[in-house]
Amino acid sequence: MNPSASSDSGSLWEVFVRSRRGLSHVHVGSLHAADAALALRNARDVYTRRGEGVSIWVVPSRSILASSPDEKDAFFDPAVDKVYRHPTFYELPEEVQQM
Amino acid sequence: MSERNVDPMAAALFTYSLRLGDDALILAQRLSEWASRAPEIEEDIALTNIALDLLGQARALLDYAGSVEAAGRGEDDLAYLRTERDFRNVHLVEQENGDFAHTIARQLFFSTYQLFLYEELISSRDEMLAGVAAKGVKEAAYHHDHALQWSVRLGDGTEESRQRMQAAVDRLWPFTAELFDTDEVEAALVSQGIAIDPSTLRPRWDRSIGDVFATATLTTPPTIWTSHGGRRGVHTECFGFLLAEMQYLHRLHPGVSW
């Protein structure tokens, strides 16, 4: 059995679902599972029961390194006033559906 | 089936549709008892998803049985207004949930059977049965995978989970033989290319279950006795209690709908 299972109901997993081809996987939530195979099946049952997806990723939550609220100013404030970084200075053809 | 309808093929098709439909209906009822009681919320949703898949199959099959019978009975009449002796499901699906291992063992035995049955029934010459099988085979494949994953984890898990899984397999083993019973109903329909002779599914089922037991370090129980009679309407003790709960609302408020 999975030696990393940390409790009776297993460890925490983050779930990413791709709603259709061409789009990115989007984080939809998290769940508990004893191992990766069961996490994938639980994700199917919990997050795609209304036809939400064509592909699922599950990632152990402990593998995710998150930015800290303490670092918020240094991380994000410098980007706020740099309007020239936005790709808004040209016309987008109507045929482009996803940007 | 009412006696004024004397077409023996229609009578056989009615009974065959009831047998398949009642298996799905009664297992759906048992699995839905897990709602809010499963070991974890993810499993709660998984088991009730499976229940709803089976309920969908049951609705199609009972509705079809009603139209074959042509006596004005619909899916609700067949599900809620028949008495115990008129149900044609196997004993396996009516057995109580027990602990999680018992539910998984029952799921493993039934979903393996139903998966192999639907794979064959897809080529039935009856369009309705073929259609139910074509839709149901994908559902059954997932139910089978779910049961297989848990059987291996419980069997090849901790000492306690292995003991519980083995106890569940031992307890439910006598109810598996009935899945493969065949009588004049199947015989009449098999010759027309409509039904599948369930006894032909047995060798494949035995191999598949044997493989799961080997992976899960479980022991195949000796066959000391086998339980039969559900296909003729003779059921085990727990079935009346299940029907009482399932039919209570409809009998108290006839014709009630959501």
Side-chain angles (χ1 to χ4, degrees):
Chain A
M1 293 301 290
N2 179 7
S4 68
S6 57
S7 70
D8 284 345
S9 58
S11 49
L12 195 62
W13 301 75
E14 301 300 324
V15 182
F16 301 79
V17 171
R18 163 185 267 173
S19 56
R20 57 187 169 87
R21 278 175 58 87
L23 296 188
S24 312
H25 286 74
V26 173
H27 184 242
V28 293
S30 58
L31 50 75
H32 289 91
D35 56 44
L38 285 180
L40 193 60
R41 284 157 181 81
N42 285 348
R44 179 263 194 195
D45 284 323
V46 174
Y47 291 109
T48 66
R49 55 200 298 272
R50 299 183 185 87
E52 292 94 335
V54 295
S55 171
I56 304 173
W57 291 344
V58 289
V59 178
S61 302
R62 59 181 154 71
S63 298
I64 292 178
L65 179 63
S67 62
S68 158
D70 298 340
E71 299 165 325
K72 186 166 124 341
D73 291 348
F75 262 52
F76 305 116
D77 276 4
V80 169
D81 59 357
K82 305 200 167 53
V83 65
Y84 50 85
R85 290 181 179 170
H86 289 273
T88 53
F89 299 99
Y90 52 84
E91 297 288 318
L92 204 61
E94 288 209 355
E95 291 76 15
V96 176
Q97 300 287 329
Q98 309 285 349
M99 269 300 287
Chain B
M1 182 151 222
S2 58
E3 293 188 2
R4 61 194 161 74
N5 192 332
V6 292
D7 178 359
M9 287 307 293
L13 184 57
F14 171 74
T15 301
Y16 188 66
S17 303
L18 271 192
R19 288 175 176 179
L20 301 189
D22 285 349
D23 282 352
L25 175 67
I26 300 306
L27 187 54
Q29 178 68 19
R30 276 292 182 224
L31 288 172
S32 68
E33 292 172 12
W34 275 107
S36 82
R37 292 170 172 80
E40 54 196 47
I41 191 168
E42 291 84 354
E43 203 49 42
D44 207 290
I45 296 173
L47 290 170
T48 45
N49 277 354
I50 294 171
L52 284 173
D53 287 347
L54 291 166
L55 190 64
Q57 296 169 16
R59 291 187 61 185
L61 288 161
L62 293 185
D63 182 66
Y64 185 50
S67 70
V68 169
E69 183 190 39
R73 289 201 283 182
E75 52 181 294
D76 279 1
D77 302 303
L78 289 169
Y80 295 127
L81 297 176
R82 277 181 296 157
T83 52
E84 190 173 341
R85 291 298 297 266
D86 290 328
F87 277 83
R88 294 289 179 266
N89 53 282
V90 290
H91 292 168
L92 176 67
V93 296
E94 72 198 34
Q95 296 310 301
E96 287 163 337
N97 286 336
D99 63 11
F100 186 64
H102 277 73
T103 291
I104 290 301
R106 192 183 59 200
Q107 282 303 108
L108 177 69
F109 294 154
F110 183 79
S111 67
T112 304
Y113 155 81
Q114 196 191 42
L115 174 63
F116 295 166
L117 172 71
Y118 282 171
E119 284 177 355
E120 303 276 332
L121 199 61
I122 286 175
S123 39
S124 168
R125 286 173 59 188
D126 183 291
E127 278 184 21
M128 186 65 201
L129 293 178
V132 169
K135 180 168 182 288
V137 74
K138 296 178 210 164
E139 296 168 341
Y142 188 79
H143 305 168
H144 175 249
D145 179 72
H146 173 267
L148 187 153
Q149 296 286 339
W150 273 115
S151 296
V152 170
R153 279 163 181 77
L154 294 175
D156 189 19
T158 65
E159 187 51 37
E160 166 141 15
S161 75
R162 204 193 71 80
Q163 277 176 12
R164 284 182 180 236
M165 192 64 205
Q166 185 66 55
V169 163
D170 293 349
R171 157 88 174 85
L172 292 167
W173 190 252
F175 297 98
T176 57
E178 189 185 10
L179 292 168
F180 310 102
D181 281 354
T182 180
D183 64 12
E184 67 282 355
V185 171
E186 279 91 8
L189 297 171
V190 167
S191 65
Q192 302 291 312
I194 293 173
I196 305 304
D197 177 354
S199 66
T200 61
L201 304 172
R202 176 99 215 209
R204 203 177 153 203
W205 188 91
D206 281 335
R207 279 196 303 277
S208 175
I209 295 295
D211 288 347
V212 176
F213 282 178
T215 310
T217 68
L218 295 166
T219 307
T220 304
T223 300
I224 297 167
W225 66 284
T226 56
S227 187
H228 303 268
R231 296 298 191 212
R232 289 178 284 109
V234 181
H235 292 279
T236 57
E237 188 179 353
C238 60
F239 189 53
F241 297 96
L242 179 150
L243 280 193
E245 184 165 319
M246 187 176 83
Q247 298 183 333
Y248 166 80
L249 190 73
H250 193 92
R251 288 184 182 273
L252 192 64
H253 304 282
V256 70
S257 65
W258 290 100

